Each structure stands twice: as structure tokens, then as C-alpha cells.
Amino acid sequence: MVQLGFESCMILGLDIGGANTKAASSDGSFTDMVYLPLWKNAQLGEVLGRFADLSPEAVAAVMTGELADCFSDKSAGIQSITATVIDTFSCPIYFWGINGFQWKDPLELAAANWSASAALLGREVGDCIFADMGSTTTDLIPIKGGPLAAKTDYQRLGRGELVYMGLLRTSIGALLSAARIRGDTVPLSPEFFAITADAYLTLGDLSPENYACDTPDGASKSREASLRRLARAVCADLEEIGEAGAIAIAEQVRDHQFRVVVNAIERQAERHKLSRVVAAGIGEQVISGAARFLGMEITLLSEKYGQRISDIFPAYAVARLLEASSIV
Amino acid sequence: MVQLGFESCMILGLDIGGANTKAASSDGSFTDMVYLPLWKNAQLGEVLGRFADLSPEAVAAVMTGELADCFSDKSAGIQSITATVIDTFSCPIYFWGINGFQWKDPLELAAANWSASAALLGREVGDCIFADMGSTTTDLIPIKGGPLAAKTDYQRLGRGELVYMGLLRTSIGALLSAARIRGDTVPLSPEFFAITADAYLTLGDLSPENYACDTPDGASKSREASLRRLARAVCADLEEIGEAGAIAIAEQVRDHQFRVVVNAIERQAERHKLSRVVAAGIGEQVISGAARFLGMEITLLSEKYGQRISDIFPAYAVARLLEASSIV
């Protein structure tokens, strides 16, 4: 790789998700995350244009956004996203698929972001469960002499390597079937009334600035507004169940999500005889708590690479993989 | 009541829900249902204006739409909805609350539509479980010498008198935790990818014309599009799980919803020692099947009052209650 000064030698990694687009340079000096809900026809090209202004030497990209339901199927999503990236950058662009930068079928690009993270960690950390909890989903990738996860989201769901549940955007009505409030067991509405971010915010585990997605009702990210959304999930005004009732719901959401993560890690640990967890993503602390609960060895990605990089790890990983490859 | 010819003697009943607004005349000659999602800021006044053109002598109204999350709380929702009704009609208007047309606190109007239905049925049918399955929710109202249900949605949820699940709009990811496909157990995504209407449509239980709500992805109401949405619920393209896989999901949604209805009816029957079910709403056949499964006596509202009236029963009931009252 020819070094031509900072701007021109930058390798930029991109992770284009359905809800967030993340970017990082291979040296880790630049990282960014933009909330960009593709299913609401967000302007991907506009955001990528800002990254193009950094004049990277090369771009390495992974995606998961092809599943967004604005696309009729994954192929249509991959075609649209790759076309937008290619139109925006004038430098060479390399897309990482589940089998690496070399691929034949564009479908190999579908949901391959975990694969880039796992490939880098396999080299730098060795055997472990790589557990990355994001806003929307949690990846649990067994790495034993290389990543062992299945190739598609569908297969990973079935094997528990993809747990469709995250720190921010998950509807609590889909996570928790019922809440116990003042001795009553009250089923939750399946409507999109409140999300995990509301639970963590009211419990003081999440700041309003880190509530990095839209609120379900379009109201504010204040504690009061989150309490109202939690109450609405049991068809109640906040006055009806009181702040204690809404906080009980939040506690039960946190507790349930924790137990789901514990069970999911345990399943992979038993299946692959792995005793170490590398925790990543904005839900790193949840992963780490669950691994500690199971008595497993823990590496925090935020300690190894710094918090900024942990938060957008697939973007960083794919940039590093391109840098280390013989391609550029 | 002074009879002044058809138009001027009409008593119009309204049932203003969060997703649908329904209308009926007390003689049953006029019925209508309009998909009007209040949380998307649908124009309630505009639709009501069309009903005002019928020049009713009086309007009787019930609501559930105050829970829509465009309103900060139920009081705000009730105030907004009542103001819109009052602004639109020039005739006398009577709102039915959980204790009848006489009420002191506007909060008595919250979610009182089941109460109007149950009050009429208590008079005309006698002791029974009134089970009304709509697009979004299912009401199970024990009637024994009058309606016995709790007064608020929150309390009814806890007592199983409100099951927040309907024939059309319920996200299948909130209903079913996992689907069995080709021997694998695959968790469903909690995203709003597919709804119960997609399941019933692909199974031939629902026609595209009766798919009376928006599709989750904005695509068409064709069988093919519904199959794609069902596949997306397990993060798959239709090609990945095949039509058989998508139909398996639909079958399991139908089966699970049926069992939830069975259990819900059984709970009320045991608690109140009731042996008869009056089935209503667009999901009348699901209710009726569940009651038959439990060996209970069944009355179909559609047979007693006709299908049109069964579909919009609370609107009809509140019109009848006003007609029978000493008010007009």
C-alpha cells in the first residue's frame, strides 16, 4: 500500500444496516454512526456522500440493510445498496461476503457484517464466542479455528447465532409476553408502543443521547415520555399504573433480555465447547454481564480496541481486512 | 321519538377505533367501516363529515381510538375525538361510557365500545360470553345479569377480557415466538414484517378485499406478496424457505391464535360459570370454532343480526341503546 499522507491513504470501512450506517477508517482514527432507517426510504447516498468527502483510497463494505422491507427481496436490496455505494465513491470499492472479498453470487453479501468481525477476531483473538449486541439484533458467532456460523440470517436464527433482539429498537411487546404489576400478570400489547431503549432509559442505563433511534410514538426521549410509552404497552396511562408500575415493566424487560442473552451464549458455548466471550456493540455490557453470570472468560472489545471502535466494529473490521489483504 | 321520515329519524351509531371507524343506523339499514389509522394522523373529521351528510337525528358514539399513540394520554385522545365529533355533527350527540350515556368523568368514555355491545346483548340474549374478534383485538365480555367486565383496558388485559390480538393487524412476530420449518425451530423476528392477515390470506381464509388494513411493507395484498412477508418474518427470502415453508408459518400462526382464543374463552367460562358464547366481529368464525372445540353453546351475531351488523356491532349497539333510552 502506497502511503500518500492521511487523506489519500485512508481505507474506509462501511457497515450499511437497515437502521444504522456505520463507518470507520482502518487505523481507527475515524469512526461514525448515522441513524438511517432504509425502510423509511432514508437517503443512503446523501450520507455516503459525506464519507466520500474524506477521499478514502479504498472502500471496504459490508451490509445487512438488504433485509429492509423497502426491498422486495435480498437480491433487490443488495443491488440497490451496492449501486448506491458505487455511485458515491470514485475510489476502488470492495464488498465483503460471507466467504471474504472474493465472491461469485451477490447473495453472499447478504448480512455478512458479522462475518467480517469474526474473521478479524479469529486472527487477532483466537477461539471465542464473538457476541455483538446492537440496536436491533445480537450476533453470537462461534469462532474455533475460524468462524463457524451458518451462512444466512435464516440459518443463523435457527441455530441461535442470530438473536433478533437489541438494546434499543426491540418492541417490548414482542420480547415480553406479560408483565407482573402489583401482583397482577398483565399481557403486553403487540403494538409498537414501547421499545427496549425506553426500558433502559427509565432505569438509568441509557442516556437520551444514546437513544439512537426514533421513539415509537414520535414523542421525546425524556424519562417521562419513556415511562408513558412503557405504560401504553399495557394499554394504560402512566397515572393508571404509576411510575412504579412502568418501572416494573422496564425491570422485567431488562431481566428477560438478560436471561435470553445468557441462554443464547450458553447454547453456543455448550455446542462448540467454547469458554471465552468477546463482547461488542452498544450492548457490550449486557453481553459481558451474561458471560460473567456463566463464569466465562470475557474480553471487552471496547477495552481491546476502544469504545468508539467497539460500537461500529464490523465497519472497522472490514477496513482492517481490506488493508491486510493483497488487494490494495 | 318523533318520526320525521327516514333521513331525519335516523339514529347514527359510531365506533371510533384507533385503526377503523365504524358506523351504523339503529335500524341496521346503514352500516359502514372505514380504515382510518388515527396514529398516522388520519383525517377523522373528513370521514365523519360524510356520515354527517346522512343528516342523522342524533348520534350515539363509542370509542377506543383514544389509546392511539398520537395522543399523549387517554384524556387527550378523548378530548380530541369528542371535539371532532361535536364539530362535525349539528344534531344532538351522546357518548356512551362504561356506565352508560350518563357519565361524569370523560375517562369513562375510554375503550367503552365493548360495553355498549354487552349492554345490548345482556338485554336481547341474556347470560353469555360476548366474544368479539376484530382486526386488532379480541374482547371477551362475561355477561351474567349484565356485563361483568372490568372498567379499563388495563384491567381487562389483566383479567383476560381483552386479548390484544386480532384477525388482521397483529404482528406475527409478537404472536408466535418461533416457527417449525423443515424440522428446524426458527425464532421469528420481532420486526413488523408480517401480520395475521398475511397468514389467513395465504391459507385462503381471507380474501384480498377483506385484508382491510395496510400491508406491513406497503407491497400488494396478493398471495405472493403475503408469502414474501411471512418468509421475511424469519429473515428469509421466499426462495430460501419455499412456499411450503411460508405456508407452514401461516398454519402455525392460525393454530396458535386458535389455541389462544380457546384458552381465553375457557378462562372466562370457568370463572363465571358460563356455557354460552355469542361470537362477533370479522373473526366470528375463529371464535365460533374455539367455542365448538370447548363444547359450548354458540350464537353467531351474524345469524342473529346479519353479517354487516356483526362486523360493526358496537356502532349498531350504541345506536340501539340510544334509541331505547329516554334521552331521544
Side-chain angles (χ1 to χ4, degrees), chain B residues 9-316:
Chain B
C9 82
M10 179 204 221
I11 292 185
L12 183 72
L14 295 174
D15 176 15
I16 302 167
N20 292 286
T21 285
K22 300 157 190 173
S25 60
S26 61
D27 67 358
S29 63
F30 169 78
T31 60
D32 199 8
M33 166 149 63
V34 183
Y35 176 63
L36 195 74
L38 296 186
W39 71 94
K40 291 185 180 173
N41 300 310
Q43 295 309 302
L44 177 61
E46 202 176 299
V47 169
L48 293 183
R50 279 187 259 151
F51 297 140
D53 293 343
L54 300 169
S55 303
E57 180 199 9
V59 165
V62 286
M63 67 180 76
T64 56
E66 77 288 341
L67 193 65
D69 69 6
C70 50
F71 304 123
S72 62
D73 58 21
K74 294 179 188 179
S75 292
I78 290 165
Q79 196 178 4
S80 167
I81 292 170
T82 52
T84 305
V85 177
I86 290 166
D87 285 354
T88 309
F89 292 91
S90 52
C91 62
I93 298 159
Y94 304 91
F95 292 95
W96 175 273
I98 38 163
N99 300 308
F101 286 117
Q102 315 288 341
W103 44 269
K104 287 175 185 164
D105 183 347
L107 272 173
E108 292 177 40
L109 304 184
N113 69 346
W114 61 267
S115 153
S117 301
L120 184 66
L121 286 176
R123 294 178 195 179
E124 304 208 333
V125 179
D127 292 354
C128 66
I129 296 168
F130 169 53
D132 184 353
M133 185 174 199
S135 66
T136 306
T137 57
T138 303
D139 288 314
L140 295 162
I141 310 300
I143 300 176
K144 202 167 183 178
L148 297 178
K151 301 295 185 187
T152 70
D153 272 358
Y154 169 67
Q155 292 167 335
R156 293 199 303 124
L157 261 185
R159 290 161 56 145
E161 296 159 359
L162 165 62
V163 181
Y164 209 118
M165 175 190 84
L167 195 75
L168 303 182
R169 285 188 56 251
T170 306
S171 171
I172 68 167
L175 189 63
L176 202 64
S177 60
R180 295 178 301 285
I181 303 171
R182 289 188 204 139
D184 293 321
T185 299
V186 185
L188 265 65
S189 162
E191 300 280 357
F192 192 63
F193 279 154
I195 54 181
T196 41
D198 293 309
Y200 289 111
L201 188 135
T202 56
L203 295 174
D205 295 341
L206 184 77
S207 67
E209 302 76 55
N210 289 328
Y211 190 129
C213 60
D214 293 332
T215 58
D217 57 358
S220 82
K221 294 173 181 176
S222 68
R223 185 163 184 276
E224 164 88 13
S226 280
L227 288 167
R228 288 198 176 282
R229 287 189 284 272
L230 291 168
R232 191 175 286 125
V234 289
C235 301
D237 278 349
L238 183 54
E239 291 67 27
E240 236 172 317
I241 59 169
E243 186 169 323
I247 287 174
I249 297 172
E251 296 261 17
Q252 289 166 53
V253 166
R254 178 170 67 181
D255 178 67
H256 183 75
Q257 188 162 54
F258 180 77
R259 281 181 291 137
V260 171
V261 172
V262 165
N263 292 341
I265 293 175
E266 193 173 30
R267 180 174 170 189
Q268 299 306 320
E270 286 182 353
R271 181 169 176 201
H272 299 284
K273 309 271 176 264
L274 288 163
S275 59
R276 185 178 182 192
V277 169
V278 175
I282 56 173
E284 191 183 64
Q285 288 305 320
V286 177
I287 300 287
S288 160
R292 195 164 54 239
F293 181 84
L294 290 166
M296 297 180 73
E297 198 184 329
I298 305 159
T299 302
L300 296 184
L301 219 62
S302 63
E303 285 182 2
K304 186 166 170 59
Y305 295 94
Q307 185 66 53
R308 277 186 314 110
I309 289 177
S310 170
D311 287 350
I312 50 77
F313 197 67
Y316 172 74

Side-chain angles (χ1 to χ4, degrees), chain A residues 164-217:
Chain A
Y164 209 118
M165 174 190 84
L167 194 75
L168 303 181
R169 286 188 56 253
T170 306
S171 172
I172 69 167
L175 189 62
L176 201 64
S177 61
R180 295 178 303 284
I181 303 173
R182 291 188 201 137
D184 292 322
T185 298
V186 185
L188 265 65
S189 161
E191 300 280 357
F192 191 63
F193 279 154
I195 55 181
T196 42
D198 293 310
Y200 288 110
L201 188 135
T202 57
L203 295 174
D205 295 341
L206 184 77
S207 67
E209 303 75 56
N210 289 328
Y211 191 128
C213 60
D214 293 332
T215 58
D217 57 358

